[in-house]
Amino acid sequence: MPSMQNTFLPLCRPALNDADIDAVVAVLRSGWITTGAKNAQLEQMICQLTGATEAVALSSATAGMHLALLALGIGPGDEVITPSLTWVSTINMITLVGATPVFVDVDPDTLMTTAEQIAPLVTPKTRLIIPVHFAGASLDLDPIYALAERHGIAVIEDAAHALGAQYKGQPVGYRGHCIFSLHAIKNVTTAEGGLFVTSDQALADRIRRLKFHGLAVDAFDRETHGRAPQAEVVEPGFKYNLPDISAVLALGQLERLDAITAARQALADDYIEKLRAIPGITPLQDPVHEHRHCRHLMVVRVAPERAGLDRQQLIEALKAVQIGAGIHFMPAHLQKYYRDHYTARYARDMPSLPHTTLAGGQICSLPLFPAMTLGDIDRVIDALNTIVNQHEK
């Protein structure tokens, strides 16, 4: 049997158990494997969790962002304010509907944006703000919503990292419009998938139509338990529905969400304490407002002047000792397409993004998933200590 040191420790691993796998098998045997009763159950559970009245299960969070932009009428001539430090799918969707992304900087300690940073970027063309909950922490939402209300601007919370997080005692998703990811690396997963959450029934109904060809009813009629043959296309739509063989995976995880979050928190606490002794490897600071962190990612900043090596060197050194690491994220304004087509075009008007740019070259995600042990944390910490000691000047 290989030793622990020779076994690869991945960056993440889904929190699935045998009951989750059995649930998928049961759906496969049921005769209905596409969008159906399990989707309806998933949407109901998310409403119960968040307090929102409407939830729409989708094939991805990216699909949710695309449909939300369309449903809100965002298009050519409109500006959408959002951080550059996010997964590029948000920026892609803004661009693909013909709108202009306006990048806002982030707080240097939490890597989340603030109302103070957003306010100077608001113009008469601003139609939407998409703030990002990062790494499992919640944004300071009250000032952002207050700013948006003053200007009559919509808000969509990008909560891809924040299922199970709370803001001032309320679950993320309890207000406004919110998008969660259920991708394979997320705290709750359907392998691929996402959720649009809102208390605006008309908006939710339009997203339901758009997700399935623009039909006037869902693929699964909840009264007849089958397809309604008389369904007509109300408007052109897409194919963004989530199959039940995926949706069912999330149900057991949602029932265990508190335990999953607690396990992640215990591991993160151990990381944070032990990282104090390693020069140049610093975890992000938690927000100062009242919140519950769901510890989606264990993000650290690598300061070359103190650690003796840069972020890429650290990732390669960890890989050499069978420890996975990742980058969340390369800033969108530094991606090739947006360097060539956006940054150059709007160079004179583009706001300075010093904190985003600096963090983009420093941040590194360390392994974190509920099945890890404190011994796994010690293995990562020992490796970091050895690597930094070898690179001390």
Side-chain angles (χ1 to χ4, degrees):
M1 179 178 292
S3 70
M4 179 184 296
Q5 298 301 318
N6 292 326
T7 302
F8 184 71
L9 180 64
L11 176 64
C12 58
R13 184 177 292 151
L16 302 177
N17 61 23
D18 289 343
D20 299 326
I21 296 168
D22 291 343
V24 175
V25 174
V27 169
L28 289 170
R29 288 176 171 159
S30 73
W32 190 287
I33 63 175
T34 187
T35 305
K38 299 304 178 183
N39 264 257
Q41 189 176 350
L42 171 59
E43 291 169 354
Q44 182 181 25
M45 291 183 74
I46 289 297
C47 287
Q48 291 171 347
L49 173 67
T50 62
T53 61
E54 306 288 335
V56 185
L58 299 153
S59 57
S60 68
T62 302
M65 187 62 70
H66 185 196
L67 298 187
L69 291 168
L70 293 174
L72 290 171
I74 306 299
D78 297 331
E79 294 180 349
V80 180
I81 299 174
T82 195
S84 171
L85 192 66
T86 186
W87 180 231
V88 75
S89 65
T90 297
I91 316 305
N92 288 346
M93 290 301 105
I94 295 168
T95 302
L96 287 169
V97 299
T100 300
V102 175
F103 296 127
V104 62
D105 209 1
V106 294
D107 178 90
D109 297 322
T110 67
L111 301 189
M112 293 187 288
T113 195
T114 65
E116 291 75 16
Q117 291 166 308
I118 294 168
L121 304 180
V122 174
T123 75
K125 293 181 178 181
T126 305
R127 289 282 314 284
L128 178 65
I129 299 168
I130 307 177
V132 179
H133 301 281
F134 189 74
S138 61
L139 287 145
D140 192 4
L141 291 170
D142 286 346
I144 293 174
Y145 275 102
L147 172 68
E149 185 175 356
R150 285 198 302 273
H151 292 276
I153 300 169
V155 175
I156 299 175
E157 296 173 41
D158 180 341
H161 292 183
L163 187 56
Q166 294 182 358
Y167 172 72
K168 295 185 177 179
Q170 296 288 343
V172 168
Y174 82 99
R175 70 198 293 182
H177 317 310
C178 189
I179 296 175
F180 295 106
S181 173
L182 301 173
H183 181 262
I185 72 167
K186 298 304 190 290
N187 294 21
V188 172
T189 182
T190 55
E192 296 282 355
L195 290 151
F196 177 82
V197 173
T198 185
S199 291
D200 184 332
Q201 183 177 344
L203 184 64
D205 285 345
R206 186 163 187 222
I207 286 175
R208 290 188 183 101
R209 290 196 301 272
L210 288 171
K211 81 168 185 179
F212 198 73
H213 307 295
L215 294 178
V217 299
D218 205 343
F220 180 79
D221 188 286
R222 288 154 201 216
E223 293 183 2
T224 65
H225 292 259
R227 189 186 301 274
Q230 75 280 11
E232 292 186 324
V233 172
V234 176
E235 61 179 315
F238 300 84
K239 187 69 167 61
Y240 283 160
N241 58 303
L242 183 71
D244 269 14
I245 53 174
S246 296
V248 72
L249 266 180
L251 303 183
Q253 294 169 76
L254 285 171
E255 291 177 351
R256 306 190 301 274
L257 183 56
D258 285 344
I260 289 171
T261 302
R264 288 178 169 274
Q265 184 65 60
L267 294 166
D269 288 344
D270 199 46
Y271 258 131
I272 291 166
E273 179 61 32
K274 291 172 179 174
L275 283 167
R276 298 182 196 280
I278 305 178
I281 311 293
T282 308
L284 301 185
Q285 289 187 20
D286 288 351
V288 296
H289 55 259
E290 182 189 350
H291 72 287
R292 180 198 190 195
H293 207 303
C294 71
R295 299 298 174 188
H296 170 54
L297 296 171
M298 187 64 221
V299 177
V300 297
R301 300 184 70 148
V302 183
E305 67 277 9
R306 296 185 60 221
L309 75 170
D310 63 26
R311 185 259 311 279
Q312 193 56 42
Q313 289 173 312
L314 179 65
I315 290 175
E316 291 301 320
L318 288 171
K319 181 180 177 181
V321 293
Q322 298 292 294
I323 296 173
I327 302 172
H328 297 89
F329 300 98
M330 178 180 174
H333 76 283
L334 300 179
Q335 302 270 4
K336 176 175 171 46
Y337 178 87
Y338 294 101
R339 289 199 316 268
D340 294 346
H341 294 81
Y342 181 83
T343 307
R345 180 180 174 187
Y346 297 100
R348 288 180 301 173
D349 302 322
M350 191 175 116
S352 175
L353 304 169
H355 303 315
T356 298
T357 302
L358 178 62
Q362 292 184 336
I363 50 178
C364 173
S365 298
L366 301 176
L368 181 64
F369 52 91
M372 282 180 67
T373 66
L374 295 182
D376 292 324
I377 302 292
D378 286 338
R379 177 182 168 189
V380 177
I381 294 297
D382 290 345
L384 291 173
N385 269 314
T386 299
I387 293 164
V388 169
N389 288 337
Q390 289 172 345
H391 286 80
E392 280 185 335
K393 296 179 180 179

